[in-house]
């Protein structure tokens, strides 16, 4: 199986060349696919070949090293697994920049020769780090050691932060170097009457926030929506992306590659390799873009009830491994080109769905709007048109008012990745006066990234908040997306009314000031 040398070099862990006592260590990490190390064929330091009998090889498991003999028995290297090579100091002559070549028999790739260079470092150059336990980094004893480390290093006691006494097992995979929990107040808004294909009925919405007036404001918007028959919500599309980039010698070769890549037989192979990584990830299509001598490719997947960034990363990586082996003229490759725009608002995700594309809409009766919010439909509609000019001049990603407020509060309460608010809060707000004099409002969230499975959604309090809305179990992510969009529209209505009626400042003065 062909692998470009530029990619092979990435197997070496840069900066791992270290002197410890009288031996030299360096590390390789399997960044390709599950492999089997069958034999070490050669190691060359600065032009000097080493006697293989003097080389020690160890598996790296967390911070533990388990020795094995690769030349006597093949050993499996899982994706992400590391091996550490160790050689005696007296076998090597060192230079300022050491040139090293390692040749391995590595199935299924065959004979693999990896060339790299690095500076030798002394292990003792490192500052004493945060205490860790390679076997169980969430045990009570190691947590207490880290808490004591904080007391000594930071000169603080932090009794509330350190006060968590619950089971730490659910935190596995969600946190490293755990020391305690941050407490965020959770308020209850609602009910919100939602009319969607997945969420149909009244829902009480938990909002985790430290911003006074936020829960009250969203509840006020929900009350108005309920009085007008509820919010209609539609999930228009669902997709999660990873966007690798392939580098070529020139633009002509990039064009030839793109024509090859888009052929039906290549698409079928991509689908097969990608979907074999996870039963819940389904390949949808790819969107290619070219610039200079680069081909950027946005892979689109369905990911079930998971947000799916990690799932699609693994699936895309498997597909790209096949692409690289099948097309030898690729000069270089990166799994992410920044075109998926993880944790960043972008125009491409406004035009092409990332996560869920959801639209929430409601027609607000003039009489109800006047009774609850003390404003006329024309006031809110005119303000929306004026504010759109301000949005255009500012260059913002949302012509609405504050979708991020409710989305962030819901995300924190339910264990979503809070950084996804950067994308998820992108919004397109539209208003019009109906022939009856009522106010029609519509909010589209084109890149709402939500999950009801995986990540932080399984943590105890977060799972309880999801259960309050009936958003657990299979096929519940669409339901949750509809509730989030309806909640965001309620917040838009409430703040627009407050601004139009001049109640905004007085409300914050009354409810939101924590002096």
């Amino acid at each position: 199986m062909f692998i470009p040398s530029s990619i092979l070099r990435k197997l070496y862990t840069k900066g791992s060349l270290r002197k410890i006592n009288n031996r030299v260590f360096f590390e390789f990490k399997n960044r390709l696919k599950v492999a089997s190390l069958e034999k070490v064929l050669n190691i060359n330091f600065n032009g000097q070949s080493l006697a293989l009998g003097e080389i020690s090889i160890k598996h790296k498991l967390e911070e533990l090293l388990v020795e094995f003999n690769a030349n006597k028995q093949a050993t499996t290297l899982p994706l992400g697994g590391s091996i550490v090579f160790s050689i005696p100091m007296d076998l090597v002559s060192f230079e300022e920049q050491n040139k090293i070549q390692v040749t391995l028999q590595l199935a299924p790739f065959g004979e693999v020769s990896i060339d790299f260079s690095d500076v030798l470092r002394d292990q003792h150059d490192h500052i004493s780090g945060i205490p860790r336990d390679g076997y169980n980094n969430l045990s009570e004893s190691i947590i207490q050691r880290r808490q004591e480390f904080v007391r000594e290093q930071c000169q603080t006691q932090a009794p509330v932060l350190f006060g968590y006494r619950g089971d730490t097992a659910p935190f596995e995979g969600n946190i490293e170097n755990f020391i305690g929990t941050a407490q965020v107040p959770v308020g209850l808004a609602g009910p919100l009457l939602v009319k969607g294909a997945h969420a149909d009925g009244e829902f009480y919405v938990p909002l985790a926030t430290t911003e006074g007036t936020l829960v009250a404001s969203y509840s006020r918007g929900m009350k108005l929506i309920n009085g007008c028959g509820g919010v209609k919500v539609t999930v228009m599309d669902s997709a999660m992306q990873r966007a690798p980039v392939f580098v070529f010698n020139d633009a002509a070769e990039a064009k030839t590659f793109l024509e090859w890549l888009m052929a039906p037989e290549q698409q079928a192979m991509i689908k097969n390799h990608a979907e074999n990584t996870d039963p819940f990830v389904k390949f949808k299509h790819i969107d290619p873009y070219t610039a200079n001598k680069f081909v950027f490719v946005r892979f689109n997947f369905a990911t079930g009830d998971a947000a799916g960034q990690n799932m699609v990363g693994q699936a895309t990586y498997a597909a790209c491994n096949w692409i690289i082996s099948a097309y030898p003229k690729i000069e270089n490759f990166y799994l992410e080109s920044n075109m998926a725009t993880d944790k960043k608002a972008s125009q491409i995700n406004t035009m092409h769905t990332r996560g869920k594309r959801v639209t929430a809409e409601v027609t607000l009766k003039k009489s109800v709007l006047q009774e609850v919010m003390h404003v006329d439909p024309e006031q809110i509609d005119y303000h929306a048109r004026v504010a759109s000019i301000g949005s255009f001049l500012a260059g913002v990603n949302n012509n609405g008012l504050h979708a991020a407020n409710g989305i962030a509060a819901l995300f924190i309460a339910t264990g979503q990745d809070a950084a996804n608010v950067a994308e998820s809060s992108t919004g397109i707000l539209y208003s019009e006066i109906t022939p009856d004099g009522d106010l029609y409002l519509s909010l589209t969230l084109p890149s709402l990234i939500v999950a009801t499975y995986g990540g932080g959604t399984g943590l105890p309090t977060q799972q309880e908040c999801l259960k309050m809305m009936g958003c657990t179990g299979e096929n519940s992510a669409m339901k949750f997306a509809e509730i989030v969009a309806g909640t965001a529209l309620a917040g838009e209505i409430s703040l627009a009314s407050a601004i139009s009626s001049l109640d905004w400042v007085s409300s914050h003065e009354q409810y939101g000031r924590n002096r």
Side-chain angles (χ1 to χ4, degrees):
M1 182 183 293
F2 171 77
I3 309 172
S5 59
S6 60
I7 294 173
L8 281 176
R9 280 193 291 272
K10 295 175 185 177
L11 298 180
Y12 171 67
T13 302
K14 192 75 173 177
S16 67
L17 185 63
R18 300 199 175 279
K19 179 180 69 174
I20 305 176
N21 297 325
N22 292 318
R23 295 188 73 86
V24 175
F25 294 79
F26 59 92
E27 178 181 328
F28 283 88
K29 185 173 182 179
N30 182 10
R31 297 175 170 92
L32 297 173
K33 61 188 294 185
V34 176
S36 177
L37 176 58
E38 297 177 338
K39 195 172 185 178
V40 178
L41 300 175
N42 182 55
I43 294 183
N44 186 295
F45 254 82
N46 299 319
Q48 175 186 356
S49 290
L50 307 182
L52 296 180
E54 298 292 336
I55 300 168
S56 171
I57 310 173
K58 300 182 181 182
H59 271 304
K60 185 177 182 183
L61 305 171
E62 289 289 339
E63 296 176 344
L64 306 173
L65 297 179
V66 182
E67 189 164 353
F68 68 97
N69 189 333
N71 291 341
K72 290 184 178 179
Q73 184 178 6
T75 184
T76 300
L77 291 178
L79 182 64
S82 296
I83 51 174
V84 177
F85 291 82
S86 168
I87 57 178
M89 283 281 297
D90 56 8
L91 292 183
V92 184
S93 59
F94 292 101
E95 300 177 6
E96 185 173 335
Q97 189 69 236
N98 297 281
K99 296 181 179 180
I100 307 165
Q101 182 185 67
V102 178
T103 306
L104 309 172
Q105 190 69 34
L106 193 64
F109 308 109
E111 185 174 311
V112 173
S113 187
I114 306 163
D115 297 279
F116 58 94
S117 60
D118 206 351
V119 176
L120 182 67
R121 296 167 176 82
D122 195 310
Q123 180 71 14
H124 302 296
D125 292 343
H126 280 282
I127 299 172
S128 173
I130 298 168
R132 287 179 50 81
D133 185 328
Y135 282 110
N136 182 4
N137 206 35
L138 284 167
S139 69
E140 184 176 350
S141 60
I142 193 63
I143 293 171
Q144 290 176 353
R145 281 180 55 197
R146 280 194 292 269
Q147 291 172 346
E148 187 57 37
F149 178 84
V150 172
R151 294 185 186 99
E152 293 175 357
Q153 297 293 322
C154 304
Q155 298 297 300
T156 185
Q157 295 300 311
V160 179
L161 174 64
F162 295 164
Y164 182 80
R165 292 294 179 265
D167 183 13
T168 58
F171 298 153
E172 184 67 44
N174 290 111
I175 190 72
E176 297 80 40
N177 299 338
F178 176 81
I179 59 171
T181 54
Q183 299 177 17
V184 181
V186 179
L188 190 65
L192 173 65
L193 179 58
V194 180
K195 295 181 174 180
H198 307 276
D200 187 11
E202 290 188 344
F203 299 91
Y204 288 94
V205 180
L207 300 173
T209 181
T210 56
E211 181 182 349
T213 74
L214 187 141
V215 176
S217 176
Y218 276 81
S219 289
R220 188 172 79 139
M222 292 173 184
K223 178 182 178 182
L224 177 61
I225 286 173
N226 295 347
C228 297
V231 57
K232 183 179 180 181
V233 189
T234 306
V235 179
M236 307 294 289
D237 192 15
S238 178
M240 181 50 65
Q241 292 80 26
R242 186 58 58 215
V245 58
F246 299 91
V247 183
F248 298 90
N249 188 53
D250 54 33
E253 188 55 55
K255 180 183 179 183
T256 302
F257 166 76
L258 182 56
E259 292 169 349
W260 173 87
L261 181 69
M262 298 306 291
E265 54 269 33
Q266 269 65 262
Q267 295 293 295
M269 292 296 291
I270 288 170
K271 175 180 173 68
N272 179 59
H273 283 274
E275 292 187 356
N276 278 340
T277 61
D278 192 300
F280 296 103
V281 67
K282 302 300 178 186
F283 176 75
K284 298 182 72 173
H285 63 276
I286 60 176
D287 297 317
Y289 303 86
T290 60
N292 307 101
K293 58 180 181 178
F294 311 124
V295 177
F296 299 85
V297 184
R298 275 173 61 103
F299 282 69
N300 293 267
F301 298 90
T303 58
D305 289 317
Q309 290 99 320
N310 293 335
M311 291 166 62
V312 304
Q314 185 179 21
T316 304
Y317 194 54
C320 288
N321 277 332
W322 174 79
I323 292 170
I324 290 165
S325 66
Y327 200 92
K329 292 187 178 180
I330 295 169
E331 294 287 326
N332 207 342
F333 151 80
Y334 296 96
L335 181 61
E336 181 51 60
S337 63
N338 222 15
M339 236 185 145
T341 71
D342 268 327
K343 317 296 170 67
K344 298 174 284 292
S346 66
Q347 192 63 35
I348 196 168
N349 287 337
T350 302
M351 301 300 293
H352 301 280
T353 303
R354 180 168 171 83
K356 308 289 188 288
R357 189 179 195 90
V358 195
T359 295
E361 51 193 339
V362 65
T363 298
L364 302 173
K365 297 293 183 183
K366 182 174 184 176
S367 58
V368 180
L369 190 58
Q370 290 173 331
E371 178 185 348
V372 177
M373 299 297 191
H374 313 298
V375 293
D376 293 318
E378 291 81 5
Q379 289 176 270
I380 295 178
D381 180 61
Y382 185 68
H383 172 261
R385 286 184 281 130
V386 172
S388 287
I389 300 300
S391 300
F392 170 75
L393 293 174
V396 297
N397 69 332
N398 190 325
N399 70 326
L401 297 173
H402 70 144
N405 255 336
I407 292 172
L410 251 175
F411 275 22
I412 295 169
T414 58
Q416 310 299 309
D417 187 336
N420 285 334
V421 173
E423 296 146 285
S424 299
S425 61
T426 299
I428 306 165
L429 186 68
Y430 172 75
S431 68
E432 66 179 41
I433 303 297
T434 71
D436 294 329
D438 300 324
L439 177 66
Y440 169 84
L441 280 176
S442 171
L443 175 66
T444 293
L445 303 175
S447 49
L448 177 63
I449 302 174
V450 294
T452 54
Y453 177 81
T457 64
L459 296 177
T461 61
Q462 288 79 352
Q463 184 71 190
E464 289 171 0
C465 286
L466 285 169
K467 285 180 178 177
M468 287 170 54
M469 297 175 286
C471 291
T472 57
E474 194 173 351
N475 299 320
S476 55
M478 294 290 195
K479 179 180 182 180
F480 183 52
E482 291 179 349
I483 294 171
V484 174
T487 300
L489 182 58
E492 294 295 300
I493 294 166
S494 182
L495 182 54
S497 299
I499 293 172
S500 298
S501 66
L502 300 182
D503 280 338
W504 187 20
V505 174
S506 61
S507 295
H508 272 269
E509 181 68 22
Q510 182 177 357
Y511 299 111
R513 297 297 293 273
N514 184 2
R515 293 187 175 88

